Amino acid sequence: MIEIVNDTNHVLDLENEEAKVMRTSLLAIGVVLVLAATAWGGDWAASSPAPVTLSANELSIATGKPSLVLMSHVSTHIPVWSLSGGTAGQSVSGVVGGFSREYAAVKVEIVVTSNDEATSPQFADVYRVHLSQMVVGEPFTSRYRLGKPVQTALPAGPLYTRTILLESYYPIVPDAPITVRIQREPALPEDTFTRPTGLALVKVTPLYAPGKAHVVQDVPGYNSWPMTQAIGNKLVCTYSRGSAHSIGEDARAVFARTSTDGGNTWTEETVVADTPGYGEVTVGKGLDSQGAMLLWVRRIGKDWNHDLYRTTDGITFQRIATPKMEVQPMQVTDIFHVPEVGLMSLWFAGNYQKDNSHAWGTLTSTDDGETWTQKTIESGLTHEEWPTEPAAVYLGDGKILGIGRTESARSQYQLTSTDSGKTWKRSSTNISDISASTPSLIFDADTGLVSNYYYERGTGLVRCRVVDPQQVFDQPLSWPGSKVIAIGSTIAWDSGNANATAIGRKHFVSYYSGKAPDTSVFVAELSAPQRND
């Protein structure tokens, strides 16, 4: 069984009554602007400077004809900008003074509300931010960034406010004013609420630069596509090296290095796989039931194979399987354990073309990876419907949560199962700050939190979203905003592919970055997110 959740437009035929709806509802409304608090602790909740706020009265029309109206109830009066749910191109803007050089970037949030009885989580609205800095000696367009559309579900009733993160890391020049323009996007299919909404506040918060990542390998060559796994307290980073962004060249082989001090120092490089006539790439990793590391290596030459390697020390690797599959995967991804099933990996197959040749499914093993059973979950998918490079974690009680990369550049897919992988549901999420962004998930059984790490190609930002899976399992549009945990190259295909693992209360996230023909492998280290008391 497979159920596909698609966003649909709920047409309420109120286009000509938007102004009347907004204004006639004002006297029946009381609004409290409560800003959402973070649910993360440790490094995630480190104290940060207070934001600079722009109230509705400090914003002005930028494009279209939005209306500045007053929400009133008894003696409470709050100005908001009414942004249409049916008329595209409405935006407002304001200017924030520059920040000192101790800060590297800013994040931008908005506070919005709805005064309409029709508000419901079955609807969603979409906003984006336009950012630029006025730097002396440069055109005011030189540092322009168009933010990604951010979709969120509406609250269950009127009067509630939402704090929406539109940009989590915009690099800044010290002391230069920042122009912030907020735009609603009712023309996008993800915006399904045709009523107006009210923009009450814009928050611009300065940010410190993230910590410096550890260098794993930076010898000449295209060091790329790392997979990182903890074996006890040892960190194992595997990666592939060739001459370019090419998976099938004979020059490409797989290597490994290990660290016992959290990535500060690494052992000498050892060879995992270097088969003559083939190009080999790391594509997935995990642990078997004995705690040994398993590594999927894609081997391409005269034929196409996926080899599974096993290691207990991260130095010596033994190939234990090359399963023959009815559907040839483009890639097999990370391995996780499902009780009463065994080991499980997700796979995807297709040719990246604009046709219906795409599929995805599961691989399961009951003998620690020596043999595998393939199952197709969906086939005949279009390029836009296809979840690629998926990661998944077992949550307990038969529940599996997966996240898949999208090739349509809209939002990551969420893949869920409630019966240990027998049946699945695929949904679009509100995770849109992406570009060919491969996800990597960590589930912390102690805190009950899931961390979703991914690299937004083209911006050079390694991002993370942390959530209680109960919040999003049945509500895929409810993922909280992202936090930037590391910075790499902005060259789109010469950097990317975040892959994460945990040792105790630390998370380690590998990625590659550079400029062809030379790229390097890095590992970012950060404290695991914690719930607040």
Side-chain angles (χ1 to χ4, degrees), residues 393-467:
V393 289
Y394 181 75
L395 303 175
D397 298 323
K399 289 186 175 181
I400 302 172
L401 173 66
I403 295 293
R405 172 175 137 176
T406 177
E407 301 305 316
S408 66
R410 297 298 286 270
S411 62
Q412 289 181 339
Y413 278 110
Q414 181 167 295
L415 312 171
T416 55
S417 174
T418 59
D419 53 13
S420 297
K422 294 179 183 178
T423 61
W424 293 78
K425 177 180 178 180
R426 173 170 56 87
S427 311
S428 293
T429 69
N430 61 329
I431 304 172
S432 60
D433 49 358
I434 56 166
S435 178
S437 298
T438 302
S440 186
L441 303 184
I442 293 178
F443 173 58
D444 188 333
D446 292 335
T447 63
L449 298 176
V450 168
S451 301
N452 176 10
Y453 294 98
Y454 55 98
Y455 193 113
E456 185 185 1
R457 282 182 159 122
T459 66
L461 302 178
V462 185
R463 298 183 180 271
C464 181
R465 296 186 184 228
V466 180
V467 72

Side-chain angles (χ1 to χ4, degrees), residues 8 31 42 86 117 206 251 266 271 277 362 404 416 439 531 533:
T8 57
V31 178
E117 295 291 338
W266 296 84
V271 178
T362 62
T416 55
R531 291 180 184 269
D533 293 335

Side-chain angles (χ1 to χ4, degrees), residues 477-496:
L477 300 183
S478 297
W479 279 84
S482 67
K483 177 185 176 75
V484 171
I485 59 101
I487 297 176
S489 168
T490 58
I491 301 175
W493 295 106
D494 293 344
S495 58

Side-chain angles (χ1 to χ4, degrees), residues 9-89:
N9 283 319
H10 300 266
V11 181
L12 301 183
D13 195 26
L14 294 171
E15 287 298 307
N16 296 327
E17 300 185 10
E18 286 183 352
K20 182 171 69 175
V21 169
M22 175 62 81
R23 289 172 174 79
T24 58
S25 300
L26 296 180
L27 295 178
I29 292 179
V31 178
V32 179
L33 298 180
V34 179
L35 306 184
T38 179
W40 304 340
D43 291 349
W44 299 92
S47 60
S48 59
V52 174
T53 60
L54 297 173
S55 68
N57 284 330
E58 296 173 290
L59 302 170
S60 59
I61 294 177
T63 59
K65 296 181 179 180
S67 301
L68 180 62
V69 298
L70 195 65
M71 285 188 174
S72 302
H73 181 63
V74 189
S75 60
T76 302
H77 309 279
I78 298 175
V80 300
W81 281 95
S82 174
L83 299 177
S84 173
T87 303

Side-chain angles (χ1 to χ4, degrees), residues 79-201:
V80 300
W81 281 95
S82 174
L83 299 177
S84 173
T87 303
Q90 293 188 348
S91 68
V92 295
S93 67
V95 177
V96 174
F99 293 98
S100 64
R101 63 182 62 254
E102 65 182 306
Y103 303 114
V106 296
K107 69 176 180 179
V108 179
E109 301 165 285
I110 59 173
V111 178
V112 298
T113 187
S114 172
N115 61 357
D116 199 293
E117 295 291 338
T119 182
S120 165
Q122 69 174 310
F123 301 119
D125 51 8
V126 180
Y127 304 87
R128 77 163 85 218
V129 62
H130 301 249
L131 288 164
S132 60
Q133 267 197 293
M134 292 179 281
V135 179
V136 174
E138 296 182 13
F140 68 82
T141 57
S142 63
R143 296 186 56 79
Y144 170 75
R145 175 186 286 183
L146 174 63
K148 299 290 181 68
V150 176
Q151 176 190 31
T152 58
L154 269 71
L159 312 184
Y160 292 92
T161 62
R162 287 171 292 150
T163 298
I164 303 172
L165 178 62
L166 297 186
E167 175 55 64
S168 62
Y169 199 91
Y170 171 70
I172 58 172
V173 172
D175 303 319
I178 304 168
T179 301
V180 183
R181 178 158 70 94
I182 308 299
Q183 182 168 329
R184 188 176 171 187
E185 298 286 3
L188 295 179
E190 291 85 359
D191 191 318
T192 58
F193 190 62
T194 62
R195 303 278 195 170
T197 53
L199 171 64
L201 195 70

